[in-house]
Short mmCIF file of all heavy atoms in Angstrom, two decimals:
data_model
loop_
_atom_site.label_atom_id
_atom_site.label_comp_id
_atom_site.label_asym_id
_atom_site.label_seq_id
_atom_site.Cartn_x
_atom_site.Cartn_y
_atom_site.Cartn_z
N THR A 436 0.80 -1.23 0.01
CA THR A 436 -0.07 0.07 -0.07
C THR A 436 0.82 1.24 0.05
O THR A 436 0.57 2.17 -0.72
CB THR A 436 -0.88 -0.01 1.18
OG1 THR A 436 -1.81 -1.07 1.14
CG2 THR A 436 -1.71 1.40 1.21
N ILE A 437 1.93 1.22 0.81
CA ILE A 437 2.84 2.42 0.81
C ILE A 437 3.48 2.68 -0.51
O ILE A 437 3.63 3.79 -0.96
CB ILE A 437 3.90 2.17 1.87
CG1 ILE A 437 3.21 2.22 3.24
CG2 ILE A 437 4.98 3.29 1.84
CD1 ILE A 437 2.60 3.53 3.69
N ARG A 438 3.83 1.60 -1.21
CA ARG A 438 4.43 1.77 -2.55
C ARG A 438 3.58 2.32 -3.48
O ARG A 438 3.89 3.32 -4.26
CB ARG A 438 4.93 0.44 -3.11
CG ARG A 438 6.14 -0.16 -2.37
CD ARG A 438 6.71 -1.38 -3.05
NE ARG A 438 7.76 -1.96 -2.30
CZ ARG A 438 7.67 -3.03 -1.42
NH1 ARG A 438 6.50 -3.40 -1.21
NH2 ARG A 438 8.64 -3.48 -0.80
N ARG A 439 2.17 1.96 -3.41
CA ARG A 439 1.16 2.69 -4.30
C ARG A 439 0.97 4.21 -3.83
O ARG A 439 0.90 5.06 -4.71
CB ARG A 439 -0.17 1.89 -4.14
CG ARG A 439 -0.18 0.62 -4.94
CD ARG A 439 -1.51 0.02 -5.08
NE ARG A 439 -2.19 -0.26 -3.85
CZ ARG A 439 -2.31 -1.40 -3.17
NH1 ARG A 439 -1.68 -2.48 -3.71
NH2 ARG A 439 -2.94 -1.57 -2.15
N ASP A 440 0.96 4.34 -2.52
CA ASP A 440 0.82 5.74 -2.11
C ASP A 440 2.09 6.67 -2.62
O ASP A 440 1.83 7.74 -3.10
CB ASP A 440 0.85 5.83 -0.56
CG ASP A 440 -0.42 5.22 0.04
OD1 ASP A 440 -1.40 5.14 -0.65
OD2 ASP A 440 -0.30 4.84 1.26
N LEU A 441 3.23 6.17 -2.55
CA LEU A 441 4.37 6.93 -2.96
C LEU A 441 4.40 7.11 -4.37
O LEU A 441 4.72 8.24 -4.88
CB LEU A 441 5.67 6.19 -2.49
CG LEU A 441 5.99 5.95 -1.02
CD1 LEU A 441 7.32 5.22 -0.91
CD2 LEU A 441 6.03 7.35 -0.36
N ASP A 442 3.97 6.09 -5.17
CA ASP A 442 3.73 6.35 -6.59
C ASP A 442 2.80 7.57 -6.97
O ASP A 442 3.04 8.27 -7.80
CB ASP A 442 3.37 5.08 -7.29
CG ASP A 442 4.51 3.96 -7.38
OD1 ASP A 442 5.64 4.44 -7.13
OD2 ASP A 442 4.20 2.80 -7.46
N ALA A 443 1.69 7.45 -6.19
CA ALA A 443 0.69 8.40 -6.38
C ALA A 443 1.14 9.81 -6.03
O ALA A 443 0.94 10.82 -6.84
CB ALA A 443 -0.64 8.13 -5.55
N LEU A 444 1.80 9.99 -4.85
CA LEU A 444 2.33 11.24 -4.38
C LEU A 444 3.41 11.65 -5.42
O LEU A 444 3.55 13.00 -5.55
CB LEU A 444 2.80 11.14 -2.97
CG LEU A 444 1.77 10.93 -1.94
CD1 LEU A 444 2.44 10.51 -0.62
CD2 LEU A 444 0.93 12.18 -1.73
N ALA A 445 4.24 10.87 -5.86
CA ALA A 445 5.33 11.29 -6.79
C ALA A 445 4.67 11.79 -8.07
O ALA A 445 5.20 12.79 -8.66
CB ALA A 445 6.28 10.08 -7.10
N ALA A 446 3.59 11.20 -8.49
CA ALA A 446 2.97 11.62 -9.73
C ALA A 446 2.34 12.95 -9.54
O ALA A 446 2.24 13.80 -10.54
CB ALA A 446 1.83 10.58 -10.08
N GLN A 447 1.96 13.42 -8.33
CA GLN A 447 1.37 14.71 -8.03
C GLN A 447 2.55 15.73 -7.79
O GLN A 447 2.27 16.93 -7.45
CB GLN A 447 0.57 14.58 -6.67
CG GLN A 447 -0.67 13.72 -6.93
CD GLN A 447 -1.34 13.42 -5.62
OE1 GLN A 447 -1.33 14.21 -4.65
NE2 GLN A 447 -2.00 12.22 -5.45
N GLY A 448 3.76 15.24 -7.75
CA GLY A 448 4.86 16.21 -7.49
C GLY A 448 5.09 16.62 -6.07
O GLY A 448 5.68 17.51 -5.78
N VAL A 449 4.62 15.69 -5.22
CA VAL A 449 4.71 15.97 -3.78
C VAL A 449 6.08 15.57 -3.30
O VAL A 449 6.64 16.13 -2.37
CB VAL A 449 3.58 15.20 -2.97
CG1 VAL A 449 3.80 15.40 -1.47
CG2 VAL A 449 2.26 15.83 -3.38
N LEU A 450 6.60 14.41 -3.77
CA LEU A 450 7.81 13.93 -3.38
C LEU A 450 8.54 13.18 -4.58
O LEU A 450 8.01 13.02 -5.68
CB LEU A 450 7.77 12.97 -2.18
CG LEU A 450 6.67 11.83 -2.33
CD1 LEU A 450 7.03 10.69 -3.13
CD2 LEU A 450 6.19 11.30 -0.91
N GLU A 451 9.80 12.71 -4.43
CA GLU A 451 10.59 12.00 -5.45
C GLU A 451 10.62 10.51 -4.97
O GLU A 451 11.05 10.24 -3.85
CB GLU A 451 11.89 12.62 -5.55
CG GLU A 451 12.76 11.85 -6.64
CD GLU A 451 14.14 12.40 -6.80
OE1 GLU A 451 14.47 13.28 -6.04
OE2 GLU A 451 14.78 11.89 -7.74
N ARG A 452 10.26 9.64 -5.78
CA ARG A 452 10.35 8.27 -5.61
C ARG A 452 11.66 7.80 -5.82
O ARG A 452 12.34 8.04 -6.92
CB ARG A 452 9.37 7.51 -6.56
CG ARG A 452 9.15 6.00 -6.15
CD ARG A 452 8.19 5.91 -5.06
NE ARG A 452 7.66 4.48 -4.98
CZ ARG A 452 8.34 3.47 -4.41
NH1 ARG A 452 9.49 3.72 -3.74
NH2 ARG A 452 7.74 2.30 -4.38
N VAL A 453 12.26 7.08 -4.84
CA VAL A 453 13.62 6.45 -5.00
C VAL A 453 13.56 5.10 -4.53
O VAL A 453 12.50 4.57 -3.97
CB VAL A 453 14.62 7.20 -4.15
CG1 VAL A 453 14.86 8.60 -4.62
CG2 VAL A 453 14.31 7.21 -2.70
N ARG A 454 14.53 4.23 -4.92
CA ARG A 454 14.56 2.82 -4.48
C ARG A 454 14.41 2.59 -3.00
O ARG A 454 15.19 3.21 -2.22
CB ARG A 454 15.92 2.22 -5.02
CG ARG A 454 15.94 0.70 -4.83
CD ARG A 454 17.14 0.20 -5.33
NE ARG A 454 17.25 -1.31 -5.18
CZ ARG A 454 18.33 -2.05 -5.51
NH1 ARG A 454 19.33 -1.48 -6.15
NH2 ARG A 454 18.29 -3.26 -5.45
N GLY A 455 13.40 1.87 -2.71
CA GLY A 455 13.15 1.58 -1.27
C GLY A 455 12.35 2.65 -0.51
O GLY A 455 12.22 2.51 0.72
N GLY A 456 12.00 3.79 -1.17
CA GLY A 456 11.32 4.66 -0.37
C GLY A 456 11.17 5.99 -1.10
O GLY A 456 10.76 5.89 -2.39
N ALA A 457 11.24 7.08 -0.53
CA ALA A 457 11.05 8.53 -1.21
C ALA A 457 11.86 9.46 -0.56
O ALA A 457 12.45 9.28 0.57
CB ALA A 457 9.52 8.87 -1.13
N ARG A 458 12.05 10.55 -1.22
CA ARG A 458 12.81 11.67 -0.61
C ARG A 458 12.11 12.99 -0.94
O ARG A 458 11.40 13.05 -2.06
CB ARG A 458 14.25 11.82 -0.99
CG ARG A 458 14.53 11.95 -2.48
CD ARG A 458 15.97 11.87 -2.73
NE ARG A 458 16.30 12.01 -4.08
CZ ARG A 458 17.55 11.78 -4.65
NH1 ARG A 458 18.58 11.39 -3.88
NH2 ARG A 458 17.75 12.02 -5.92
N THR A 459 12.30 14.07 -0.20
CA THR A 459 11.67 15.36 -0.43
C THR A 459 12.18 16.05 -1.76
O THR A 459 13.31 15.81 -2.17
CB THR A 459 11.87 16.33 0.66
OG1 THR A 459 11.19 17.57 0.49
CG2 THR A 459 13.41 16.54 0.89
N LEU A 460 11.40 16.79 -2.38
CA LEU A 460 11.73 17.62 -3.60
C LEU A 460 12.17 18.97 -3.20
O LEU A 460 12.69 19.81 -3.99
CB LEU A 460 10.60 17.66 -4.52
CG LEU A 460 10.22 16.36 -5.32
CD1 LEU A 460 8.97 16.58 -6.08
CD2 LEU A 460 11.43 16.08 -6.31
N LEU A 461 11.94 19.44 -1.90
CA LEU A 461 12.25 20.69 -1.36
C LEU A 461 13.74 20.81 -1.21
O LEU A 461 14.43 19.89 -0.69
CB LEU A 461 11.59 20.92 0.00
CG LEU A 461 10.02 20.92 0.01
CD1 LEU A 461 9.58 21.25 1.39
CD2 LEU A 461 9.46 22.02 -0.98
N LEU A 462 14.35 21.97 -1.55
CA LEU A 462 15.66 22.27 -1.36
C LEU A 462 15.94 22.66 0.15
O LEU A 462 15.07 22.99 0.84
CB LEU A 462 16.06 23.51 -2.14
CG LEU A 462 16.09 23.42 -3.57
CD1 LEU A 462 16.52 24.70 -4.25
CD2 LEU A 462 17.03 22.32 -4.07
N ARG A 463 16.99 22.24 0.61
CA ARG A 463 17.31 22.43 2.11
C ARG A 463 17.81 23.91 2.29
O ARG A 463 18.96 24.22 2.52
CB ARG A 463 18.48 21.50 2.49
CG ARG A 463 17.91 20.00 2.36
CD ARG A 463 16.80 19.79 3.38
NE ARG A 463 16.26 18.49 3.23
CZ ARG A 463 15.41 17.89 3.95
NH1 ARG A 463 14.95 18.56 5.02
NH2 ARG A 463 14.97 16.68 3.74
N GLY A 464 16.83 24.76 2.34
CA GLY A 464 17.18 26.22 2.51
C GLY A 464 17.35 26.69 3.94
O GLY A 464 17.81 27.77 4.08
N GLU A 465 16.88 25.89 4.88
CA GLU A 465 16.96 26.37 6.30
C GLU A 465 17.97 25.52 7.06
O GLU A 465 17.83 24.25 7.12
CB GLU A 465 15.56 26.28 6.90
CG GLU A 465 15.62 26.85 8.36
CD GLU A 465 14.18 26.80 8.89
OE1 GLU A 465 13.20 26.46 8.19
OE2 GLU A 465 14.04 27.05 10.10
N GLU A 466 18.87 26.12 7.70
CA GLU A 466 19.97 25.42 8.38
C GLU A 466 19.65 25.13 9.83
O GLU A 466 19.28 25.99 10.59
CB GLU A 466 21.34 26.22 8.33
CG GLU A 466 22.51 25.60 8.88
CD GLU A 466 23.72 26.35 8.71
OE1 GLU A 466 23.67 27.59 8.55
OE2 GLU A 466 24.78 25.66 8.75
N PRO A 467 19.66 23.98 10.19
CA PRO A 467 19.44 23.44 11.70
C PRO A 467 20.44 24.22 12.46
O PRO A 467 21.65 24.31 12.13
CB PRO A 467 19.48 22.04 11.61
CG PRO A 467 19.35 21.65 10.35
CD PRO A 467 19.89 22.59 9.44
N PRO A 468 20.16 24.56 13.73
CA PRO A 468 21.12 25.25 14.63
C PRO A 468 22.30 24.30 14.94
O PRO A 468 22.20 23.16 14.87
CB PRO A 468 20.37 25.43 15.93
CG PRO A 468 18.88 25.46 15.40
CD PRO A 468 18.78 24.52 14.26
N PHE A 469 23.49 24.96 15.08
CA PHE A 469 24.73 24.16 15.28
C PHE A 469 24.55 23.30 16.55
O PHE A 469 25.08 22.08 16.38
CB PHE A 469 25.87 25.23 15.62
CG PHE A 469 27.21 24.52 15.74
CD1 PHE A 469 28.01 24.37 14.62
CD2 PHE A 469 27.65 24.08 16.94
CE1 PHE A 469 29.28 23.74 14.71
CE2 PHE A 469 28.92 23.44 17.09
CZ PHE A 469 29.71 23.39 15.94
N ALA A 470 23.99 23.74 17.59
CA ALA A 470 23.86 23.00 18.88
C ALA A 470 23.03 21.76 18.62
O ALA A 470 23.31 20.76 19.11
CB ALA A 470 23.22 23.82 19.91
#
């Protein structure tokens, strides 16, 4: 079911489908604090 969900979300441009899962399409523009 998750694989079907990821395929559907990837088709909508929500995320990027990769082998074994998914990753965000958003650029990492905000830096987490050093601490």
Side-chain angles (χ1 to χ4, degrees):
T436 298
I437 293 298
R438 291 189 182 94
R439 287 198 296 266
D440 290 340
L441 294 180
D442 289 340
L444 291 169
Q447 297 169 27
V449 174
L450 49 77
E451 180 181 4
R452 191 76 163 86
V453 296
R454 183 177 180 182
R458 65 184 177 191
T459 182
L460 287 170
L461 297 178
L462 295 177
R463 295 295 175 174
E465 183 177 353
E466 184 172 25
F469 185 93

